[in-house]
Amino acid sequence: MNEITITLLFLFFTIVLYVTEKIPLALTSMIVCVGLNLTGVLTIKEAFEGFVNGNVILFVAMFIVGGALFETGMASDIGGIITKFAKTEKQLIISIMVIVGLLSGVLSNTGTAAVLIPVVVGVASKSGFARSKLLMPLVFAAALGGNLSLIGAPGNMIANTALESVNMSFGFFEYAKVGLPMLVCAILFYSTIGFKLLPNNKADEKELAYNETDEGIEKEKWKKIFSLVVMIFTILTMIFENKIGIKLQISACIGAIILVLFKVISEEEAYNSIDTKTIFLFGGSLSLATALQKTGAGTIIADTIISRLGENPSPYVLLLVILILSSIMTNFMSNTATTALLVPIGLSIATRINADPRAVLMAMVIGGSCAYATPIGMPANTMVINIGNYKFKDYLKAGGPLVIISIVISAILLPIFFPFY
């Protein structure tokens, strides 16, 4: 059996186990990770390099920074301020999605989610509303916000770099022509019809990374303020990542180290705030993405589907196929990996049919950002799975319709702003 077949079988195995959840998701990820090595598809280094992936480091550090905000009671205080202006769950969802969406436009979508997760948990605690109703709109807004600017998501830069090789490029806010209407529609959807699709799960306090602070314990005021200052400092360094030359993962680590060093959060509290289930789920699942890229299985899937359209496909049919293909792949490979895989194929397609490369790549980036239907589509989805006590089917039920909505909106707007010919 060749490596491509083995990889495709593991992909099928992963999809089935993730959907049925016969065993824990993190365990499924680890079985795939180890299995890909035992079958010779990946080396030890390739199989486990997901655990030293930059996003995993970001997870760990931001769990600690967020944990400090929660342990000191500051997250609860901020939640109290927000709930004064947003009295209902729907108002909170609108507020959260607007704030997260706009921040994601200039800040890493994963970083934005990581920063605001403890705040939203604090909002849920203060308001008495289910955190599972609020956290999912948060991560969806983070993904949608990534389509507001050139720096909103890694995939945006990947596509732009590819365009530069053919002397073209995207403007800084050009993605927003499609991304902003998508964000607005998502906010309207989850504050109306889609509200009923959001899971109303009871939080399992024993297993959550951020637990409610005991209200009976008076927290030191300086620790509250210090935790907030460090959080703001971390956000600012992330926003100006390129200007100061410090990667956002390092900024997050610096913030976490400062909090422990100054004893705002104890070493034990720092360790307890790290959600290990998230780390194993995400780190293990990256091995499958690596295998799809290394063996060429992902490329074969994409090429097979697109080649069925013939030599001169209708631009509208091609657009729809690109959107559907990239949106499906991104929910199992991560949006960055999907974009990296499809962009070279997109340039080849554009050349073959004499289409505008900007139009083809924009469609792939937008489709690749629709990672709402699984917990592994983007890092932020994985971060909240345990905190929100979510199941795989929760993402499918709440995020699936958003994928369809995003595809429909994109299929309407892309030909207007980025015609193939």
Side-chain angles (χ1 to χ4, degrees):
M1 194 180 297
N2 62 39
E3 292 182 345
I4 293 175
T5 304
I6 293 170
T7 301
L8 292 175
L9 286 173
F10 271 115
L11 175 62
F12 177 74
F13 169 82
T14 303
I15 293 171
V16 172
L17 267 293
Y18 276 171
V19 172
T20 59
E21 290 195 64
K22 294 295 184 182
I23 58 177
L25 297 180
L27 184 56
T28 298
S29 292
M30 290 309 300
I31 290 172
V32 172
C33 180
V34 173
L36 286 167
N37 172 254
L38 290 177
T39 52
V41 176
L42 299 179
T43 64
I44 284 286
K45 183 180 178 181
E46 289 168 336
F48 289 97
E49 67 184 352
F51 291 96
V52 289
N53 176 274
N55 282 320
V56 173
I57 304 302
L58 180 65
F59 285 175
V60 172
M62 289 311 299
F63 273 134
I64 294 172
V65 174
L69 206 69
F70 212 82
E71 290 293 338
T72 60
M74 179 50 77
S76 184
D77 288 351
I78 295 172
I81 295 171
I82 294 175
T83 51
K84 284 182 181 179
F85 299 97
K87 299 293 184 182
T88 67
E89 278 182 302
K90 290 183 179 180
Q91 288 175 350
L92 280 172
I93 287 170
I94 293 171
S95 302
I96 289 166
M97 292 188 77
V98 168
I99 293 168
V100 174
L102 294 178
L103 277 176
S104 288
V106 293
L107 179 64
S108 154
N109 45 25
T110 304
T112 301
V115 165
L116 293 177
I117 284 169
V119 175
V120 171
V121 173
V123 169
S125 301
K126 205 73 177 178
S127 64
F129 297 133
R131 61 180 70 172
S132 61
K133 284 270 190 183
L134 305 179
L135 287 171
M136 204 163 268
L138 182 155
V139 295
F140 293 162
L144 289 156
N147 289 329
L148 296 184
S149 77
L150 191 61
I151 61 170
N156 301 6
M157 289 300 296
I158 291 171
N160 197 59
T161 302
L163 275 180
E164 287 173 353
S165 68
V166 291
N167 299 315
M168 293 182 178
S169 65
F170 288 124
F172 190 82
F173 288 113
E174 213 162 358
Y175 287 96
K177 291 178 180 178
V178 181
L180 186 58
M182 285 171 62
L183 176 61
V184 171
C185 288
I187 293 171
L188 291 174
F189 177 66
Y190 286 112
S191 59
T192 53
I193 303 169
F195 179 77
K196 294 180 180 179
L197 300 176
L198 294 171
N200 189 20
N201 300 336
K202 185 177 180 181
D204 186 348
E205 298 297 337
K206 293 181 181 179
E207 296 185 0
L208 298 174
Y210 301 121
N211 292 309
E212 294 182 26
T213 305
D214 184 353
E215 297 293 342
I217 301 174
E218 187 63 36
K219 295 293 181 180
E220 295 177 67
K221 191 173 181 180
W222 78 267
K223 288 187 176 182
K224 285 187 177 184
I225 296 172
F226 197 87
S227 67
L228 182 60
V229 169
V230 171
M231 176 70 83
I232 293 171
F233 161 78
T234 305
I235 293 173
L236 289 174
T237 53
M238 286 179 174
I239 291 174
F240 297 105
E241 174 187 10
N242 293 329
K243 290 190 176 180
I244 63 177
I246 300 175
K247 292 293 183 182
L248 57 88
Q249 292 87 350
I250 299 299
S251 295
C253 287
I254 291 171
I257 289 169
I258 289 172
L259 289 167
V260 177
L261 200 60
F262 284 85
K263 298 184 178 179
V264 175
I265 183 173
S266 69
E267 184 182 1
E268 185 179 354
E269 287 171 335
Y271 289 137
N272 289 338
S273 68
I274 298 170
D275 188 348
T276 51
K277 286 185 179 180
T278 296
I279 304 302
F280 281 108
L281 172 59
F282 186 74
S285 67
L286 283 182
S287 62
L288 182 59
T290 301
L292 284 167
Q293 287 179 284
K294 179 187 176 183
T295 63
T299 304
I300 288 173
I301 294 171
D303 273 343
T304 301
I305 294 172
I306 293 172
S307 65
R308 302 278 181 181
L309 299 176
E311 287 296 320
N312 297 298
S314 160
Y316 296 106
V317 172
L318 179 59
L319 171 63
L320 205 56
V321 169
I322 289 173
L323 286 171
I324 293 171
L325 174 63
S326 53
S327 63
I328 290 173
M329 290 181 69
T330 194
N331 278 287
F332 294 97
M333 281 188 65
S334 95
N335 45 10
T336 306
T338 299
T339 306
L341 179 68
L342 291 179
V343 159
I345 298 171
L347 280 178
S348 298
I349 292 170
T351 302
R352 190 190 313 161
I353 64 173
N354 291 319
D356 182 356
R358 283 163 41 90
V360 177
L361 295 196
M362 179 60 77
M364 286 182 167
V365 171
I366 295 296
S369 70
C370 299
Y372 325 121
T374 71
I376 61 167
M378 60 176 271
N381 292 12
T382 316
M383 289 187 76
V384 297
I385 187 170
N386 199 36
I387 304 170
N389 202 23
Y390 296 126
K391 303 293 183 186
F392 186 96
K393 62 183 179 182
D394 290 332
Y395 289 87
L396 197 59
K397 180 182 176 183
L402 183 58
V403 173
I404 296 170
I405 290 170
S406 296
I407 289 173
V408 170
I409 294 170
S410 302
I412 294 170
L413 296 179
L414 283 168
I416 297 172
F417 295 114
F418 301 94
F420 275 30
Y421 301 104

